[in-house]
Amino acid sequence: MDEEVRGEDLKARLKERKRGKVDVRIGKKGVTESLLEEVKRRLDKHGVVKVKILKSARADPGFNREEYAEEIARAVGGVLKEVKGYTFIIVKKDR
């Protein structure tokens, strides 16, 4: 199911993800290769992924949630759509 998400479909999926549960949680191990693979897999399958940064992953005093989210989006080949608190949404890039 490697389809592009755009237009009305994107709006519907974003609305669903905003209201829905978190897909992936980042814990004390932080960003690992397996975490990135999971985000990428879900992004390819669904087109939209909701990620939450747990308190244990934010222990670093210089932690910046926007930069963290942007870095993850870049690593999985997606686009950061929204950051709200410690939860963010990544969408699949148009080709």
Side-chain angles (χ1 to χ4, degrees):
M1 189 164 146
D2 194 15
E3 59 191 51
E4 294 187 28
V5 182
R6 50 173 99 185
E8 292 301 314
D9 190 37
L10 174 61
K11 288 180 184 179
R13 289 188 187 195
L14 277 173
K15 189 174 183 179
E16 180 185 316
R17 289 305 343 126
K18 285 180 185 180
R19 284 185 279 131
K21 294 182 179 180
V22 173
D23 294 317
V24 179
R25 289 169 183 80
I26 302 173
K28 62 185 170 188
K29 291 183 181 178
V31 179
T32 62
E33 192 62 40
S34 61
L35 178 118
L36 292 175
E37 287 173 13
E38 179 65 15
V39 172
K40 192 178 291 189
R41 185 184 67 76
R42 288 177 182 258
L43 197 59
D44 286 341
K45 186 173 182 181
H46 303 290
V48 180
V49 180
K50 187 174 182 180
V51 183
K52 180 169 185 161
I53 307 166
L54 300 177
K55 194 173 187 178
S56 58
R58 315 188 290 249
D60 182 24
F63 178 80
N64 183 317
R65 62 190 178 166
E66 287 87 8
E67 288 176 9
Y68 200 75
E70 190 66 50
E71 196 175 301
I72 292 169
R74 221 176 299 116
V76 298
V79 177
L80 182 63
K81 194 68 175 174
E82 178 181 295
V83 178
K84 216 172 208 179
Y86 293 101
T87 303
F88 57 94
I89 296 176
I90 299 173
V91 296
K92 190 174 183 178
K93 268 187 188 175
D94 287 338
R95 293 183 190 152

Short mmCIF file of all heavy atoms in Angstrom, two decimals, residues 26-91:
data_model
loop_
_atom_site.label_atom_id
_atom_site.label_comp_id
_atom_site.label_asym_id
_atom_site.label_seq_id
_atom_site.Cartn_x
_atom_site.Cartn_y
_atom_site.Cartn_z
N ILE A 26 8.59 7.34 21.89
CA ILE A 26 10.05 7.37 22.03
C ILE A 26 10.35 7.38 23.52
O ILE A 26 9.97 8.30 24.23
CB ILE A 26 10.65 8.60 21.35
CG1 ILE A 26 10.27 8.62 19.87
CG2 ILE A 26 12.16 8.62 21.53
CD1 ILE A 26 10.66 9.87 19.14
N GLY A 27 11.03 6.35 23.99
CA GLY A 27 11.31 6.19 25.42
C GLY A 27 12.75 6.47 25.78
O GLY A 27 13.45 7.22 25.09
N LYS A 28 13.19 5.84 26.87
CA LYS A 28 14.52 6.14 27.42
C LYS A 28 15.68 5.78 26.50
O LYS A 28 16.74 6.35 26.61
CB LYS A 28 14.69 5.45 28.77
CG LYS A 28 14.63 3.96 28.74
CD LYS A 28 14.70 3.39 30.14
CE LYS A 28 14.38 1.91 30.12
NZ LYS A 28 14.25 1.39 31.46
N LYS A 29 15.47 4.86 25.56
CA LYS A 29 16.54 4.52 24.62
C LYS A 29 16.71 5.58 23.54
O LYS A 29 17.70 5.58 22.82
CB LYS A 29 16.27 3.17 23.98
CG LYS A 29 16.39 2.01 24.94
CD LYS A 29 16.19 0.70 24.23
CE LYS A 29 16.28 -0.45 25.22
NZ LYS A 29 16.02 -1.74 24.55
N GLY A 30 15.72 6.46 23.43
CA GLY A 30 15.80 7.54 22.44
C GLY A 30 15.56 7.04 21.04
O GLY A 30 14.84 6.07 20.82
N VAL A 31 16.17 7.71 20.09
CA VAL A 31 15.99 7.36 18.68
C VAL A 31 16.98 6.25 18.32
O VAL A 31 18.18 6.47 18.29
CB VAL A 31 16.21 8.59 17.77
CG1 VAL A 31 16.04 8.22 16.31
CG2 VAL A 31 15.26 9.70 18.16
N THR A 32 16.43 5.08 18.07
CA THR A 32 17.25 3.93 17.68
C THR A 32 16.93 3.58 16.23
O THR A 32 15.95 4.07 15.66
CB THR A 32 16.95 2.71 18.57
OG1 THR A 32 15.57 2.35 18.39
CG2 THR A 32 17.23 3.00 20.03
N GLU A 33 17.73 2.72 15.66
CA GLU A 33 17.51 2.27 14.29
C GLU A 33 16.17 1.56 14.16
O GLU A 33 15.43 1.77 13.20
CB GLU A 33 18.66 1.34 13.84
CG GLU A 33 18.66 1.06 12.37
CD GLU A 33 18.86 2.31 11.52
OE1 GLU A 33 19.65 3.19 11.88
OE2 GLU A 33 18.18 2.40 10.46
N SER A 34 15.84 0.75 15.16
CA SER A 34 14.56 0.02 15.10
C SER A 34 13.37 0.98 15.21
O SER A 34 12.33 0.75 14.58
CB SER A 34 14.49 -1.05 16.19
OG SER A 34 14.58 -0.48 17.47
N LEU A 35 13.51 2.04 15.99
CA LEU A 35 12.44 3.03 16.10
C LEU A 35 12.24 3.73 14.76
O LEU A 35 11.10 3.88 14.30
CB LEU A 35 12.76 4.07 17.18
CG LEU A 35 11.69 5.15 17.28
CD1 LEU A 35 11.05 5.13 18.64
CD2 LEU A 35 12.26 6.49 16.97
N LEU A 36 13.31 4.13 14.12
CA LEU A 36 13.22 4.78 12.81
C LEU A 36 12.61 3.85 11.77
O LEU A 36 11.80 4.28 10.95
CB LEU A 36 14.60 5.27 12.35
CG LEU A 36 15.21 6.41 13.16
CD1 LEU A 36 16.61 6.71 12.67
CD2 LEU A 36 14.34 7.65 13.11
N GLU A 37 12.98 2.57 11.82
CA GLU A 37 12.40 1.58 10.90
C GLU A 37 10.90 1.45 11.11
O GLU A 37 10.14 1.34 10.15
CB GLU A 37 13.09 0.23 11.07
CG GLU A 37 14.49 0.19 10.52
CD GLU A 37 15.20 -1.12 10.84
OE1 GLU A 37 14.54 -2.09 11.27
OE2 GLU A 37 16.43 -1.15 10.67
N GLU A 38 10.47 1.46 12.38
CA GLU A 38 9.05 1.35 12.69
C GLU A 38 8.27 2.57 12.20
O GLU A 38 7.19 2.44 11.61
CB GLU A 38 8.84 1.17 14.20
CG GLU A 38 7.41 1.08 14.63
CD GLU A 38 6.68 -0.15 14.09
OE1 GLU A 38 7.33 -1.10 13.62
OE2 GLU A 38 5.44 -0.15 14.14
N VAL A 39 8.82 3.76 12.42
CA VAL A 39 8.17 4.98 11.94
C VAL A 39 8.09 4.96 10.42
O VAL A 39 7.04 5.26 9.84
CB VAL A 39 8.91 6.25 12.44
CG1 VAL A 39 8.34 7.50 11.79
CG2 VAL A 39 8.83 6.36 13.95
N LYS A 40 9.17 4.57 9.77
CA LYS A 40 9.20 4.51 8.31
C LYS A 40 8.19 3.49 7.78
O LYS A 40 7.48 3.75 6.81
CB LYS A 40 10.61 4.14 7.84
CG LYS A 40 10.83 4.35 6.36
CD LYS A 40 12.24 4.01 5.95
CE LYS A 40 13.21 5.02 6.50
NZ LYS A 40 14.56 4.87 5.97
N ARG A 41 8.10 2.34 8.43
CA ARG A 41 7.17 1.30 8.01
C ARG A 41 5.72 1.80 8.10
O ARG A 41 4.93 1.64 7.19
CB ARG A 41 7.34 0.05 8.87
CG ARG A 41 6.50 -1.14 8.44
CD ARG A 41 6.63 -2.31 9.39
NE ARG A 41 6.06 -2.05 10.70
CZ ARG A 41 4.75 -2.04 10.97
NH1 ARG A 41 3.88 -2.24 10.01
NH2 ARG A 41 4.32 -1.81 12.19
N ARG A 42 5.40 2.44 9.23
CA ARG A 42 4.04 2.97 9.40
C ARG A 42 3.75 4.11 8.45
O ARG A 42 2.63 4.26 7.96
CB ARG A 42 3.84 3.42 10.85
CG ARG A 42 3.73 2.27 11.81
CD ARG A 42 3.62 2.77 13.23
NE ARG A 42 3.55 1.69 14.17
CZ ARG A 42 2.42 1.27 14.75
NH1 ARG A 42 1.28 1.85 14.47
NH2 ARG A 42 2.45 0.28 15.61
N LEU A 43 4.77 4.91 8.17
CA LEU A 43 4.61 6.02 7.23
C LEU A 43 4.31 5.49 5.83
O LEU A 43 3.44 6.00 5.14
CB LEU A 43 5.88 6.87 7.23
CG LEU A 43 5.81 8.26 6.65
CD1 LEU A 43 4.78 9.11 7.38
CD2 LEU A 43 7.16 8.93 6.75
N ASP A 44 5.03 4.45 5.43
CA ASP A 44 4.80 3.85 4.12
C ASP A 44 3.41 3.22 4.03
O ASP A 44 2.75 3.29 3.00
CB ASP A 44 5.86 2.78 3.81
CG ASP A 44 7.20 3.37 3.48
OD1 ASP A 44 7.26 4.57 3.13
OD2 ASP A 44 8.21 2.64 3.57
N LYS A 45 2.97 2.62 5.12
CA LYS A 45 1.68 1.92 5.11
C LYS A 45 0.50 2.88 5.22
O LYS A 45 -0.49 2.74 4.51
CB LYS A 45 1.64 0.92 6.26
CG LYS A 45 0.41 0.06 6.26
CD LYS A 45 0.48 -1.02 7.29
CE LYS A 45 -0.77 -1.89 7.21
NZ LYS A 45 -0.75 -2.94 8.21
N HIS A 46 0.59 3.87 6.11
CA HIS A 46 -0.55 4.74 6.40
C HIS A 46 -0.43 6.16 5.85
O HIS A 46 -1.43 6.86 5.73
CB HIS A 46 -0.80 4.81 7.91
CG HIS A 46 -1.02 3.48 8.53
ND1 HIS A 46 -2.16 2.73 8.31
CD2 HIS A 46 -0.25 2.74 9.36
CE1 HIS A 46 -2.08 1.60 8.98
NE2 HIS A 46 -0.93 1.57 9.62
N GLY A 47 0.80 6.61 5.60
CA GLY A 47 0.99 7.96 5.07
C GLY A 47 1.09 9.04 6.14
O GLY A 47 1.61 10.11 5.89
N VAL A 48 0.59 8.74 7.36
CA VAL A 48 0.62 9.69 8.47
C VAL A 48 0.95 8.93 9.74
O VAL A 48 0.37 7.88 10.00
CB VAL A 48 -0.75 10.40 8.64
CG1 VAL A 48 -0.71 11.39 9.79
CG2 VAL A 48 -1.18 11.09 7.36
N VAL A 49 1.88 9.47 10.55
CA VAL A 49 2.29 8.81 11.80
C VAL A 49 2.30 9.82 12.93
O VAL A 49 2.80 10.94 12.78
CB VAL A 49 3.71 8.19 11.67
CG1 VAL A 49 4.13 7.52 12.96
CG2 VAL A 49 3.78 7.21 10.53
N LYS A 50 1.75 9.41 14.06
CA LYS A 50 1.73 10.26 15.26
C LYS A 50 2.75 9.68 16.24
O LYS A 50 2.70 8.50 16.58
CB LYS A 50 0.33 10.25 15.86
CG LYS A 50 0.15 11.21 17.02
CD LYS A 50 -1.32 11.23 17.43
CE LYS A 50 -1.59 12.21 18.54
NZ LYS A 50 -3.04 12.19 18.91
N VAL A 51 3.67 10.53 16.71
CA VAL A 51 4.76 10.10 17.57
C VAL A 51 4.75 10.92 18.86
O VAL A 51 4.53 12.13 18.82
CB VAL A 51 6.13 10.29 16.87
CG1 VAL A 51 7.27 9.79 17.73
CG2 VAL A 51 6.14 9.60 15.51
N LYS A 52 5.00 10.26 19.98
CA LYS A 52 5.07 10.95 21.26
C LYS A 52 6.44 10.73 21.88
O LYS A 52 6.97 9.63 21.88
CB LYS A 52 3.99 10.44 22.21
CG LYS A 52 4.03 11.14 23.55
CD LYS A 52 2.84 10.84 24.39
CE LYS A 52 2.92 11.69 25.65
NZ LYS A 52 1.64 11.81 26.30
N ILE A 53 7.00 11.82 22.44
CA ILE A 53 8.29 11.75 23.13
C ILE A 53 7.98 11.63 24.62
O ILE A 53 7.45 12.57 25.22
CB ILE A 53 9.14 13.01 22.87
CG1 ILE A 53 9.27 13.26 21.36
CG2 ILE A 53 10.50 12.87 23.52
CD1 ILE A 53 9.79 14.65 21.02
N LEU A 54 8.29 10.48 25.19
CA LEU A 54 8.02 10.27 26.61
C LEU A 54 9.00 11.04 27.48
O LEU A 54 10.08 11.44 27.03
CB LEU A 54 8.08 8.78 26.94
CG LEU A 54 7.09 7.88 26.19
CD1 LEU A 54 7.31 6.42 26.56
CD2 LEU A 54 5.67 8.30 26.48
N LYS A 55 8.65 11.24 28.73
CA LYS A 55 9.46 12.01 29.67
C LYS A 55 10.88 11.46 29.79
O LYS A 55 11.84 12.22 29.89
CB LYS A 55 8.77 12.02 31.03
CG LYS A 55 9.30 13.02 31.98
CD LYS A 55 8.44 13.06 33.24
CE LYS A 55 8.86 14.19 34.13
NZ LYS A 55 8.00 14.28 35.32
N SER A 56 11.02 10.16 29.76
CA SER A 56 12.34 9.54 29.91
C SER A 56 13.27 9.88 28.74
O SER A 56 14.49 9.86 28.89
CB SER A 56 12.21 8.02 30.04
OG SER A 56 11.54 7.49 28.93
N ALA A 57 12.73 10.21 27.58
CA ALA A 57 13.54 10.57 26.42
C ALA A 57 13.92 12.05 26.42
O ALA A 57 14.76 12.47 25.64
CB ALA A 57 12.79 10.24 25.14
N ARG A 58 13.30 12.84 27.30
CA ARG A 58 13.55 14.28 27.33
C ARG A 58 14.50 14.70 28.46
O ARG A 58 14.52 15.86 28.84
CB ARG A 58 12.24 15.05 27.53
CG ARG A 58 11.11 14.60 26.70
CD ARG A 58 9.91 15.51 26.80
NE ARG A 58 9.21 15.50 28.06
CZ ARG A 58 7.99 15.00 28.25
NH1 ARG A 58 7.36 14.43 27.26
NH2 ARG A 58 7.41 15.07 29.42
N ALA A 59 15.27 13.78 28.98
CA ALA A 59 16.12 14.04 30.15
C ALA A 59 17.26 15.03 29.87
O ALA A 59 17.71 15.72 30.79
CB ALA A 59 16.67 12.74 30.68
N ASP A 60 17.71 15.12 28.64
CA ASP A 60 18.81 16.01 28.29
C ASP A 60 18.41 17.48 28.53
O ASP A 60 17.37 17.93 28.04
CB ASP A 60 19.17 15.80 26.81
CG ASP A 60 20.34 16.65 26.36
OD1 ASP A 60 21.15 17.04 27.23
OD2 ASP A 60 20.44 16.93 25.15
N PRO A 61 19.23 18.26 29.27
CA PRO A 61 18.88 19.65 29.56
C PRO A 61 18.76 20.54 28.32
O PRO A 61 18.02 21.51 28.31
CB PRO A 61 20.01 20.15 30.45
CG PRO A 61 20.92 19.02 30.68
CD PRO A 61 20.46 17.85 29.90
N GLY A 62 19.44 20.21 27.24
CA GLY A 62 19.38 21.02 26.02
C GLY A 62 18.34 20.51 25.04
O GLY A 62 18.39 20.83 23.86
N PHE A 63 17.40 19.72 25.50
CA PHE A 63 16.39 19.10 24.64
C PHE A 63 15.49 20.14 23.99
O PHE A 63 14.96 21.02 24.65
CB PHE A 63 15.54 18.12 25.48
CG PHE A 63 14.45 17.46 24.70
CD1 PHE A 63 14.72 16.38 23.90
CD2 PHE A 63 13.15 17.93 24.78
CE1 PHE A 63 13.72 15.76 23.17
CE2 PHE A 63 12.13 17.33 24.07
CZ PHE A 63 12.42 16.24 23.27
N ASN A 64 15.33 20.05 22.68
CA ASN A 64 14.43 20.94 21.93
C ASN A 64 13.49 20.06 21.12
O ASN A 64 13.90 19.39 20.18
CB ASN A 64 15.23 21.85 21.00
CG ASN A 64 14.36 22.83 20.26
OD1 ASN A 64 13.30 22.49 19.76
ND2 ASN A 64 14.82 24.05 20.17
N ARG A 65 12.22 20.06 21.47
CA ARG A 65 11.26 19.14 20.85
C ARG A 65 11.07 19.36 19.36
O ARG A 65 10.92 18.40 18.60
CB ARG A 65 9.93 19.20 21.58
CG ARG A 65 9.29 20.55 21.49
CD ARG A 65 8.12 20.71 22.38
NE ARG A 65 7.70 22.10 22.18
CZ ARG A 65 6.58 22.58 22.56
NH1 ARG A 65 5.73 21.81 23.18
NH2 ARG A 65 6.28 23.83 22.34
N GLU A 66 11.09 20.61 18.90
CA GLU A 66 10.91 20.88 17.47
C GLU A 66 12.08 20.33 16.65
O GLU A 66 11.88 19.72 15.61
CB GLU A 66 10.74 22.38 17.20
CG GLU A 66 9.41 22.95 17.62
CD GLU A 66 9.38 23.39 19.08
OE1 GLU A 66 10.45 23.40 19.72
OE2 GLU A 66 8.29 23.72 19.57
N GLU A 67 13.30 20.56 17.13
CA GLU A 67 14.48 20.06 16.44
C GLU A 67 14.49 18.53 16.43
O GLU A 67 14.83 17.91 15.44
CB GLU A 67 15.76 20.58 17.11
CG GLU A 67 16.02 22.04 16.87
CD GLU A 67 17.25 22.54 17.62
OE1 GLU A 67 17.99 21.71 18.18
OE2 GLU A 67 17.45 23.76 17.64
N TYR A 68 14.12 17.94 17.56
CA TYR A 68 14.06 16.48 17.70
C TYR A 68 13.07 15.90 16.69
O TYR A 68 13.39 14.95 15.98
CB TYR A 68 13.60 16.18 19.14
CG TYR A 68 13.91 14.81 19.66
CD1 TYR A 68 15.19 14.45 20.05
CD2 TYR A 68 12.89 13.87 19.83
CE1 TYR A 68 15.46 13.20 20.58
CE2 TYR A 68 13.15 12.62 20.35
CZ TYR A 68 14.43 12.29 20.72
OH TYR A 68 14.69 11.05 21.24
N ALA A 69 11.89 16.50 16.61
CA ALA A 69 10.85 16.03 15.68
C ALA A 69 11.30 16.20 14.23
O ALA A 69 11.09 15.31 13.41
CB ALA A 69 9.55 16.79 15.94
N GLU A 70 11.90 17.34 13.93
CA GLU A 70 12.38 17.61 12.57
C GLU A 70 13.45 16.60 12.16
O GLU A 70 13.48 16.11 11.03
CB GLU A 70 12.93 19.04 12.49
CG GLU A 70 13.22 19.51 11.10
CD GLU A 70 11.99 19.66 10.24
OE1 GLU A 70 11.02 20.29 10.67
OE2 GLU A 70 11.99 19.11 9.11
N GLU A 71 14.34 16.27 13.09
CA GLU A 71 15.41 15.32 12.84
C GLU A 71 14.84 13.93 12.51
O GLU A 71 15.30 13.26 11.59
CB GLU A 71 16.30 15.25 14.09
CG GLU A 71 17.64 14.63 13.89
CD GLU A 71 18.46 14.73 15.15
OE1 GLU A 71 18.71 15.86 15.62
OE2 GLU A 71 18.84 13.67 15.67
N ILE A 72 13.84 13.51 13.25
CA ILE A 72 13.22 12.20 13.03
C ILE A 72 12.50 12.19 11.68
O ILE A 72 12.62 11.23 10.92
CB ILE A 72 12.27 11.84 14.18
CG1 ILE A 72 13.09 11.62 15.45
CG2 ILE A 72 11.43 10.61 13.85
CD1 ILE A 72 12.29 11.52 16.72
N ALA A 73 11.77 13.25 11.39
CA ALA A 73 11.06 13.34 10.11
C ALA A 73 12.04 13.25 8.94
O ALA A 73 11.79 12.54 7.96
CB ALA A 73 10.26 14.63 10.03
N ARG A 74 13.15 13.94 9.05
CA ARG A 74 14.17 13.92 8.00
C ARG A 74 14.76 12.51 7.85
O ARG A 74 14.97 12.03 6.74
CB ARG A 74 15.29 14.91 8.33
CG ARG A 74 15.78 15.68 7.14
CD ARG A 74 16.82 16.74 7.46
NE ARG A 74 16.33 17.78 8.37
CZ ARG A 74 16.80 18.01 9.60
NH1 ARG A 74 17.78 17.28 10.08
NH2 ARG A 74 16.30 18.96 10.35
N ALA A 75 15.00 11.84 8.98
CA ALA A 75 15.61 10.52 8.97
C ALA A 75 14.72 9.46 8.31
O ALA A 75 15.23 8.51 7.72
CB ALA A 75 15.96 10.09 10.39
N VAL A 76 13.41 9.63 8.41
CA VAL A 76 12.49 8.64 7.82
C VAL A 76 11.98 9.06 6.44
O VAL A 76 11.18 8.36 5.83
CB VAL A 76 11.29 8.34 8.76
CG1 VAL A 76 11.78 7.73 10.05
CG2 VAL A 76 10.43 9.55 9.00
N GLY A 77 12.39 10.22 5.98
CA GLY A 77 11.99 10.68 4.66
C GLY A 77 10.59 11.24 4.63
O GLY A 77 9.91 11.18 3.61
N GLY A 78 10.16 11.81 5.74
CA GLY A 78 8.83 12.40 5.82
C GLY A 78 8.89 13.90 6.04
O GLY A 78 9.97 14.50 6.03
N VAL A 79 7.73 14.50 6.23
CA VAL A 79 7.62 15.93 6.47
C VAL A 79 6.92 16.13 7.81
O VAL A 79 5.87 15.55 8.06
CB VAL A 79 6.80 16.62 5.36
CG1 VAL A 79 6.62 18.09 5.65
CG2 VAL A 79 7.45 16.42 4.01
N LEU A 80 7.53 16.97 8.65
CA LEU A 80 6.93 17.28 9.94
C LEU A 80 5.73 18.19 9.69
O LEU A 80 5.87 19.28 9.15
CB LEU A 80 7.95 17.96 10.85
CG LEU A 80 7.48 18.31 12.26
CD1 LEU A 80 7.11 17.05 13.03
CD2 LEU A 80 8.55 19.08 13.00
N LYS A 81 4.55 17.76 10.10
CA LYS A 81 3.34 18.53 9.83
C LYS A 81 2.92 19.36 11.03
O LYS A 81 2.46 20.47 10.87
CB LYS A 81 2.21 17.56 9.44
CG LYS A 81 1.03 18.22 8.83
CD LYS A 81 1.40 18.77 7.48
CE LYS A 81 0.18 19.35 6.80
NZ LYS A 81 0.49 20.01 5.56
N GLU A 82 3.08 18.81 12.24
CA GLU A 82 2.61 19.52 13.43
C GLU A 82 3.35 19.03 14.67
O GLU A 82 3.62 17.86 14.82
CB GLU A 82 1.11 19.25 13.61
CG GLU A 82 0.50 19.88 14.83
CD GLU A 82 -0.97 19.56 14.94
OE1 GLU A 82 -1.74 20.00 14.07
OE2 GLU A 82 -1.34 18.87 15.90
N VAL A 83 3.65 20.00 15.56
CA VAL A 83 4.22 19.67 16.87
C VAL A 83 3.31 20.29 17.91
O VAL A 83 3.07 21.50 17.89
CB VAL A 83 5.66 20.23 17.04
CG1 VAL A 83 6.19 19.92 18.43
CG2 VAL A 83 6.59 19.69 15.98
N LYS A 84 2.79 19.47 18.80
CA LYS A 84 1.90 19.95 19.85
C LYS A 84 2.36 19.30 21.15
O LYS A 84 2.23 18.09 21.31
CB LYS A 84 0.46 19.55 19.53
CG LYS A 84 -0.55 20.56 19.93
CD LYS A 84 -1.90 20.17 19.41
CE LYS A 84 -2.69 21.44 19.20
NZ LYS A 84 -4.01 21.16 18.67
N GLY A 85 2.91 20.11 22.02
CA GLY A 85 3.47 19.54 23.25
C GLY A 85 4.64 18.64 22.89
O GLY A 85 5.54 19.04 22.17
N TYR A 86 4.60 17.41 23.37
CA TYR A 86 5.65 16.44 23.05
C TYR A 86 5.15 15.39 22.07
O TYR A 86 5.72 14.30 21.96
CB TYR A 86 6.17 15.81 24.33
CG TYR A 86 6.91 16.82 25.18
CD1 TYR A 86 6.31 17.40 26.28
CD2 TYR A 86 8.18 17.22 24.84
CE1 TYR A 86 6.97 18.36 27.04
CE2 TYR A 86 8.85 18.17 25.57
CZ TYR A 86 8.24 18.73 26.67
OH TYR A 86 8.89 19.67 27.41
N THR A 87 4.11 15.72 21.35
CA THR A 87 3.56 14.84 20.33
C THR A 87 3.67 15.55 18.98
O THR A 87 3.44 16.74 18.89
CB THR A 87 2.07 14.54 20.65
OG1 THR A 87 2.00 13.97 21.95
CG2 THR A 87 1.49 13.57 19.64
N PHE A 88 4.04 14.79 17.97
CA PHE A 88 4.14 15.39 16.64
C PHE A 88 3.65 14.43 15.57
O PHE A 88 3.55 13.23 15.80
CB PHE A 88 5.57 15.86 16.34
CG PHE A 88 6.64 14.81 16.45
CD1 PHE A 88 7.04 14.10 15.33
CD2 PHE A 88 7.26 14.54 17.66
CE1 PHE A 88 8.04 13.13 15.43
CE2 PHE A 88 8.26 13.58 17.76
CZ PHE A 88 8.65 12.88 16.64
N ILE A 89 3.31 15.01 14.42
CA ILE A 89 2.77 14.24 13.31
C ILE A 89 3.69 14.39 12.11
O ILE A 89 4.08 15.50 11.74
CB ILE A 89 1.34 14.71 12.96
CG1 ILE A 89 0.43 14.43 14.15
CG2 ILE A 89 0.85 14.00 11.70
CD1 ILE A 89 -0.99 14.92 13.97
N ILE A 90 4.02 13.24 11.50
CA ILE A 90 4.85 13.21 10.29
C ILE A 90 3.99 12.68 9.15
O ILE A 90 3.24 11.72 9.34
CB ILE A 90 6.07 12.28 10.49
CG1 ILE A 90 6.95 12.77 11.64
CG2 ILE A 90 6.88 12.19 9.21
CD1 ILE A 90 8.06 11.81 12.00
N VAL A 91 4.08 13.31 7.98
CA VAL A 91 3.37 12.83 6.80
C VAL A 91 4.38 12.40 5.74
O VAL A 91 5.52 12.87 5.72
CB VAL A 91 2.40 13.88 6.21
CG1 VAL A 91 1.30 14.20 7.19
CG2 VAL A 91 3.13 15.12 5.79
#
